[in-house]
Amino acid sequence: MVKTTRIRLDRISSSTRNAQLANEVIVGDEIVAAEGYVLAVRILHDKSSYNTVEDRAGRMVALRAGDVLAGTLGHRRALRGYAGVVPAAISVGDTIEVLNLGGILGTCTSATPENGSPFKAEVLGAILAFPELGDRIGRPAHIRDQAVPVAERLEQQIPVVYVVGTCMNAGKTVAATELVRGLSRSGLRVAASKLTGVSLMRDALSMLDAGAVAALTFNDIGIATTRAGLTVPAAKGIFNRLAAAKPDVIVAELGDGILGEYGVQDILKDAELTGVGAAYVMAAPDPVGCWGAVTLMRDLFNLPVTVLTGPATDNEVGRDYIQKELGLPSHNALRHAAGLVEVVRAALDQHVAAADSRRLVAAAR
């Protein structure tokens, strides 16, 4: 029989938002050790860096020793962050670690020097959900609860601007945000999405602040961390739900890099998802990254790069290389967002015109 306890949460991480937790929850001692299940844990120590968690409003709030946190079991394979896995078994009283700012919980297998060791936390139990009114026996809460459904196909052919990069922290979110802002100001209804990565709301919130009429991430699908095999149906489900906002275009950021472990490659290889691709914005840190990204996009995915951005375009050295050696436009999203938007808008207009032409030809047959 499940032993239950009522506890009060001090912090509710953003990764749990689909579960719609109250500040007071019931926890059980039978824990499902699998990605997406929601646990209550007690933080065991203080930290001086990487010491916050994103709450359900998107605010970064401090974690202190003794805080009771609601987090989500998940894996993480970040090049510049913690790597970790969901342990094979979890019991009340075990120690687990906080792997990212969105409150993903697991066993850390690797850390980077700049972040130090992750928070360690004591497992208090599985937070229980009571989905039916009057339920007295709960079940372990999962972030699939209230989630946007995945899909096998796109219901509408809305043009998509994909923002991809060579790795994390290459400038993708800045570029995506400026594209949302610029395209919105040009008169388009812009929806936004983050299709791959580890649960965190801030990127989608940045795009909403920039003028997006709607924004969703893979976490809204009920996925804590993306990986190969998950991302294509998740992306199609996200695009189908965003279509309800009647956007003219969707700006879609692909977290991590085109050679990472978060399932970016699956999206770039899917004919239906790339068929709606109007532009491919590539963020890269240096000229070698620019060359490699352009080469991989061409040879591995048979896709063009529309424009390059990111730290490689911070000054004229990188921009000159991109323009002269790669024959592509380059615009820094921070310093020349207008140029970036102009290139993408031209590609978008060309994509829409080509789609209209195809429809006319099909109608005439």
Side-chain angles (χ1 to χ4, degrees):
M1 184 174 179
V2 178
K3 181 180 178 181
T4 63
T5 308
R6 183 182 296 272
I7 65 171
R8 183 171 182 83
L9 300 170
D10 298 304
R11 299 285 187 248
I12 303 175
S13 67
S14 61
S15 64
T16 71
R17 63 186 184 275
N18 284 351
Q20 299 182 4
L21 303 179
N23 289 327
E24 285 195 358
V25 295
I26 305 294
V27 301
D29 62 352
E30 290 187 2
I31 299 171
V32 181
E35 190 168 22
Y37 283 94
V38 181
L39 305 187
V41 302
R42 180 179 286 113
I43 301 300
L44 293 176
H45 57 95
D46 290 325
K47 285 189 62 181
S48 60
S49 63
Y50 211 83
N51 58 354
T52 58
V53 69
E54 183 185 70
D55 69 11
R56 292 174 299 175
R59 298 181 308 133
M60 288 296 175
V61 293
L63 284 178
R64 300 295 303 274
D67 282 346
V68 176
L69 169 72
T72 306
L73 287 172
H75 304 278
R76 192 180 186 201
R77 295 287 292 167
L79 181 66
R80 295 174 180 158
Y82 301 128
V85 298
V86 176
I90 305 171
S91 300
V92 172
D94 287 352
T95 298
I96 205 164
E97 288 151 315
V98 183
L99 299 178
N100 90 319
L101 299 175
I104 296 300
L105 305 174
T107 298
C108 184
T109 58
S110 182
T112 54
E114 59 267 26
N115 291 335
S117 299
F119 275 116
K120 293 185 180 299
E122 176 192 359
V123 175
L124 302 179
I127 295 178
L128 301 182
F130 299 83
E132 299 297 331
L133 186 64
D135 270 359
R136 303 183 70 176
I137 300 176
R139 58 171 177 75
H142 194 285
I143 61 171
R144 282 192 305 266
D145 301 341
Q146 314 300 321
V148 173
V150 298
E152 293 304 315
R153 66 176 192 83
L154 295 176
E155 296 171 355
Q156 297 186 42
Q157 300 292 302
I158 299 168
V160 178
V161 174
Y162 289 105
V163 182
V164 295
T166 57
C167 63
M168 64 185 295
N169 299 334
K172 297 183 295 294
T173 302
V174 172
T177 301
E178 291 305 322
L179 286 168
V180 169
R181 192 189 322 277
L183 293 173
S184 297
R185 288 179 177 177
S186 74
L188 298 177
R189 285 179 62 82
V190 183
S193 63
K194 185 166 184 179
L195 301 181
T196 61
V198 183
S199 295
L200 203 59
M201 287 176 60
R202 66 183 179 190
D203 297 345
L205 291 174
S206 295
M207 296 180 208
L208 286 170
D209 289 342
V213 297
L216 294 172
T217 76
F218 55 88
N219 193 234
D220 294 295
I221 291 282
I223 297 172
T225 305
T226 62
R227 61 180 182 273
L230 297 178
T231 52
V232 168
K236 292 178 182 180
I238 287 170
F239 289 169
N240 287 346
R241 179 58 63 90
L242 288 175
K246 301 188 182 305
D248 299 306
V249 61
I250 297 171
V251 174
E253 178 186 349
L254 302 184
D256 197 41
I258 54 177
L259 290 182
E261 298 184 22
Y262 288 140
V264 174
Q265 299 96 322
D266 287 0
I267 291 174
L268 296 178
K269 289 179 178 179
D270 185 81
E272 190 175 29
L273 290 174
T274 57
V276 295
Y280 295 88
V281 178
M282 178 63 66
D286 53 42
V288 174
C290 292
W291 177 86
V294 171
T295 302
L296 281 169
M297 287 288 281
R298 181 192 65 215
D299 296 348
L300 185 59
F301 304 113
N302 195 31
L303 294 172
V305 171
T306 306
V307 58
L308 280 143
T309 190
T313 66
D314 281 351
N315 69 17
E316 65 180 15
V317 176
R319 295 194 298 271
D320 286 349
Y321 169 80
I322 292 165
Q323 293 161 12
K324 293 177 182 177
E325 299 299 325
L326 301 179
L328 290 169
S330 64
H331 294 284
N332 189 272
L334 290 172
R335 294 185 173 88
H336 195 206
L340 180 66
V341 173
E342 183 180 359
V343 172
V344 169
R345 180 59 194 264
L348 175 61
D349 290 344
Q350 185 177 7
H351 175 88
V352 171
D356 289 343
S357 178
R358 288 193 296 269
R359 279 193 291 271
L360 288 172
V361 170
R365 288 176 178 170

